[in-house]
Structures are given as C-alpha cells and as structure tokens.
Amino acid sequence: TFKTNPYLARAIMTGITRVSKESIFSDLNHLEVITTTSNKYATAFGFTKEEVRQILEEYNLLQKYEEVESWYDGYNIGNVEIFNPWSILQYLKSEGIARAYWVNTGNTNLIDLATEGISAEIAETVGKLLKCMPVEIRLKPKAVYEEIQGNVESFLNTLLFTGYLTVDKKYMKDDERYGTVRIPNKEVRKIIEKLQKNWLPTTFKDERIEKICKAVIEQDEEELKEQMEQIILEEVSYFSSSEDYYKGM
C-alpha cells in the first residue's frame, strides 16, 4: 500500500475525481490534489496550441489546424488552453480524419449513473450548454454518489471533472469558489447530444428523437408541437380509452 510500503517515498495517483463519504482515502494524508481547475501542472494535462501546431506540421497536416482546434481544443486547465491529447494522437493515426475518439477510451459508468432518471432541471441546463450558453456553478472537487442524480450542481461538477465540460471563469462568491462552465469542443458536444437522446423514450424513431432534441434546444415551439402531434397520431390508438393511459402520456 502507499502508506505502509517502506520502499516508496512518493507516488502519483491519477484518476478523475475524489469521492466524498468514501473510505478509500482514510489511510492517506499529506495529499496534494491537482484538478482541472488548478493552475499547477496545467500544461501536463494535454497538448498546448504551440505543440499541436508543431505536431501537425510534422505530419503535413498543418492546413487542418482549424478543424483540429474545433474538434479537440477548448479545455481551460488553470490558465492554459489545452487540446485533448488522446484524440490528437488518434487523429494522427487515422491520417487526419476528425471524429469523436475520446468516448471510446473507457467505461462511462459514472456518467450513466448521473444521467439515469435525469430531472427536468438538469435536462434544461444541458440544453443551455448545447446552445453555447455559459452556466454558473459552485466548484466542488469531490463527488457524492447520492447527489449526482437530480442535483444540478453535483451533476455539472461530475461532467466538469470527467472532461465533458470546462470552466471559463473562476471567482470567489460568498467565500466559495464558483465558475462558469461550457462544452469545450465539437467532440464532446457530439457525445453529450448522444447522451441527451437516451433521456427521451426509445420507442420513437431516431429521426424523430433528433428533431425533438433540436426543437427543445433551439426553443422551436412550432416544430416541437408538430412532432408531438405526430406522436399522438402514430402512437395513440382509438382503443386506448382508459383514463390512466392518457395520464401516463
């Protein structure tokens, strides 16, 4: 173990976020916690703009810098803007094909838990983020599993410290750390849009789900009304006459 090993002087533990109300850190002390909102070691979290330009030039892909920037840049680590290193490497391996690579790097159990039985308030907040609207949150570097579902602040902090959001501005308010968060780039946007589809009933066609999602995000009342009317016409039967059936809808 870390604490009882006489041959170990120091170590680095890497992960995503600390978990409150758990005993995994009870035997450790003198920890220095570095997160994506810290200034220390900011450039160690990924590639800087200068490094990406240099890499692309070596691969004769410098002309695609703007495309790469829109897909994989946008993370504010401390005071440094960082590119997703894994996605950059996969982009180079694929000889310059832009797609969402990072989503396939591991399991998404924590995010799946966070989006299971999602509340209307959280869905509305995610809609604002997809519309490129910054959202203010109190920065909480520790996650509490019981609060991830249904609590907007815990949900957004989980997305922040797992790389789905980044923080633009950090400031003190009421003696606590706050920040405005946003979706960092096109890659993450596509991942969140895909997650958002899972919050809607799966009995409808994918095309209709996309239209409903788009109408909600863009606040297009006429399009949403039209799609809901089509659902009623296609899904509701004249034989479904019980009151409970319509209350369920």
Side-chain angles (χ1 to χ4, degrees):
T1 64
F2 280 108
K3 196 165 185 178
T4 60
N5 189 343
Y7 305 102
L8 185 64
R10 63 182 64 183
I12 297 176
M13 295 176 64
T14 62
I16 291 176
T17 186
R18 297 177 72 186
V19 181
S20 295
K21 300 181 181 178
E22 298 292 336
S23 61
I24 56 176
F25 295 107
S26 61
D27 292 331
L28 294 175
N29 50 26
H30 306 300
L31 291 175
E32 182 178 10
V33 180
I34 307 297
T35 72
T36 55
T37 61
S38 306
N39 293 327
K40 199 170 184 179
Y41 307 122
T43 57
F45 280 84
F47 295 131
T48 64
K49 287 180 175 289
E50 294 74 18
E51 289 170 336
V52 170
R53 286 184 180 277
Q54 183 180 349
I55 293 169
L56 292 177
E57 187 172 11
E58 291 178 2
Y59 280 79
N60 296 317
L61 292 170
L62 187 57
Q63 72 277 10
K64 290 192 172 185
Y65 177 80
E66 290 185 1
E67 176 185 65
V68 172
E69 185 178 40
S70 67
W71 272 87
Y72 311 119
D73 188 22
Y75 291 97
N76 289 325
I77 311 296
N79 296 316
V80 182
E81 194 168 335
I82 292 293
F83 286 71
N84 184 319
W86 171 264
S87 298
I88 292 295
L89 294 177
Q90 300 311 306
Y91 178 84
L92 297 174
K93 286 182 180 180
S94 68
E95 299 180 347
I97 297 176
R99 62 167 70 106
Y101 294 105
W102 177 58
V103 69
N104 298 317
T105 58
N107 70 62
T108 57
N109 291 343
L110 192 59
I111 300 303
D112 292 339
L113 171 67
T115 55
E116 183 180 323
I118 198 165
S119 69
E121 186 180 6
I122 289 178
E124 181 182 356
T125 303
V126 172
K128 291 179 180 179
L129 290 167
L130 288 170
K131 291 179 64 178
C132 301
M133 298 170 61
V135 176
E136 181 188 67
I137 62 170
R138 181 166 54 105
L139 300 176
K140 297 166 58 180
K142 294 183 180 181
V144 179
Y145 282 127
E146 293 81 3
E147 295 180 0
I148 291 175
Q149 293 177 315
N151 184 293
V152 175
E153 189 175 80
S154 294
F155 175 79
L156 293 179
N157 271 281
T158 300
L159 292 186
L160 172 62
F161 290 106
T162 51
Y164 291 87
L165 297 177
T166 191
V167 62
D168 265 339
K169 298 178 181 178
K170 293 175 291 184
Y171 45 89
M172 297 297 295
K173 187 170 75 172
D174 300 327
D175 296 324
E176 294 191 89
R177 293 183 72 209
Y178 279 77
T180 55
V181 295
R182 61 172 173 81
I183 297 172
N185 52 47
K186 189 174 181 179
E187 178 181 42
V188 178
R189 176 176 296 277
K190 287 191 172 294
I191 296 170
I192 292 180
E193 286 175 349
K194 185 176 180 181
L195 285 172
Q196 190 186 49
K197 290 180 185 179
N198 295 333
W199 305 339
L200 297 172
T202 57
T203 56
F204 307 134
K205 297 177 181 178
D206 288 343
E207 182 180 357
R208 175 149 298 147
I209 291 176
E210 290 180 5
K211 289 181 179 179
I212 291 174
C213 285
K214 185 178 180 182
V216 171
I217 293 168
E218 297 179 356
Q219 297 183 351
D220 187 341
E221 294 180 6
E222 290 302 317
E223 177 64 21
L224 182 59
K225 179 182 176 182
E226 180 180 340
Q227 293 304 319
M228 295 306 293
E229 286 178 350
Q230 289 299 315
I231 290 172
I232 297 295
L233 290 173
E234 295 176 13
E235 301 292 333
V236 177
S237 168
Y238 287 108
F239 299 102
S240 302
S241 57
S242 70
E243 185 179 353
D244 290 341
Y245 178 85
Y246 289 97
K247 284 182 177 179
M249 293 189 62

